[in-house]
Amino acid sequence: MRTSIATVSLSGTLTEKLSAAARAGFDGIEIFENDLLASPCTPEEIRERTADLGLTIDLYQPLRDIEAVPEDEFARSLRRAEHKFRLMGRLGTDLALVCSNVSPLAVDDDALAARQLHQLAELAAQYGIRIAYEALAWGRHVSTYDHAWHIVEAADHPALGVCLDSFHILARGSDPKGIESIPGEKIFFLQLADAPLMQMDVLQWSRHHRCFPGQGGLDLTGFLTHVRGAGYRGPLSLEVFNDVFRQTDAGPTAVDAQRSLRLLQESTGVRPPSAAAVEPTGFAFAELLTGDAEPASALLHALGFARTARHRGKPVDLWEQGGARILLNTASDSGRATLSLTAIGLESPDPAAAALRAESLLAPVLPRRRAPGDAPLDAVAAPDGTEIFFCAPPEPETPGWTDDFAPVPHESPAGTDVHGIDHIALTQPWLRFDEATLFQSGVLGLLPHESVDVADPYGLLRSRAVTNTDGSVRIALAVGPAPEHETGGAQHVALATADILAAARRFRDAGGELLTVPANYYDDLAARHEFGDAELETLRELGILYDEDTSGTFRHCYTRTVGRVFFELVQRDGDYRGYGARNAPVRLAAQHAQH
């Protein structure tokens, strides 16, 4: 199906929005009236520009407060509408959106509404224009799609149909199954928007908090299935009012929008996937980049890692412990002296298919400088710039990415406390959090969990985990309260251990510094859980935090932050699946205090 996007969904000037939509692969656009009014371009110039970009103008919107009004008011509306119909001829579009009336002048009279819409459609037809009537969720007398269809059916004009908007229908809790009773040819247009589930005024909800399909809590898959069941075969168009999208660059937002529509079409069978989703099976590595290797090397050594190999052609060292692998990249041309987490390697049963999937969903494929003998690793960029590598799992006698590294003499650590990477936490730019979630789930095949808000000393921090089916890949996405608070913008790697007490002691004895946790936390812990005196004192001594649920227990502690990176030691017992969210405010406050 063709895809379209309303200009109100993107930031910038009208011409910037058109270019962004075209680059992202949209077929058409809806022109929001305010965007045209603010443009220095004539309608003819806009028409020519869209044609040059390969776009069609699928809808001009909106005409407001027209139907079910006194006759003198309706006469003024017809005059205004006729002017707009002539304008649409200059633009080269033939479909106008009419929203249900919200004016205090509107009267509750369906027969009057139908008669006046018939007259409007008759006038529109003289200009080769059709009218799509949409029920606003806050319409004064018409606020549901079935009511709007009842009026359109009564008006009985071939140039009059309905526009269905997923937000207006689903936000009111209306059952979309009834859409299938509307003849497909009378559904003139379809607008799609998701939204987080919120308890607030529907108008404010709509104006500020809509998002792209798959980023909220509305059932867009079921909705589109019913619309398709009615026989609609027109464009799938996005109309998203969102304060964040209005402040972000139109290019990435348009790509995010197109990706959301491709995933929605996949979920309903409208569009077969260009490449099937390939769920990752584990972490191959986490890569740290720095211009000064000494602090990072000291931290890794204290954690029990050994420097086991060096890349044959690049300044990258491989550090290993158990099944956990960290790459330390000291490229002199990186321009980054501050330690940062720049790449994640994901083990995949089919790396080539995983890369093809990512590319089909508009993930930027990253160019790689490869020597003739280097492993053919494919990488794409996540929305925050993190590089995602797709790696084949290590197999005996099968060349893999680790063969790019030459072993170096090293001493094995005295004991191996860490057996793998438990999870990786990535701080997102606050403008890109929803985009990151959609990328991780749609492109990487991970399952999103519920979003959680935790208190930071300088505001709220939003976090959302994505995992594979068995939990062997866990990524926690977080957005901090403000960019200037560096601890809120740090990233971290959580290392799994079966004995956190031994791991924490070994780290401390090797010269590592654990995050100091306030004594008040342990007083509260004693009130919430029963511990032996010695156990609680040990947790306090090592700065270990504790959580439990009905499935198991969770103990974890943190290193001091180096640059933008810190490590977490994690011990999961039973079937605990969380991340110690209850403890996050204490950890954040402690990090601010020691920053």
Side-chain angles (χ1 to χ4, degrees), residues 423 465-467 474-475 554 556 568 572 576-581:
H423 65 274
V466 292
T467 70
R474 300 182 180 96
I475 297 176
F554 187 66
H556 56 135
E568 179 183 7
R572 296 177 183 270
Y576 183 96
R577 299 284 182 96
Y579 302 84

Side-chain angles (χ1 to χ4, degrees), residues 299-324:
L299 178 59
L300 291 171
H301 185 270
L303 284 165
F305 283 84
R307 177 178 171 270
T308 60
R310 185 169 179 82
H311 197 279
R312 299 179 191 278
K314 302 173 185 176
V316 180
D317 291 326
L318 172 61
W319 292 72
E320 295 184 273
Q321 181 181 186

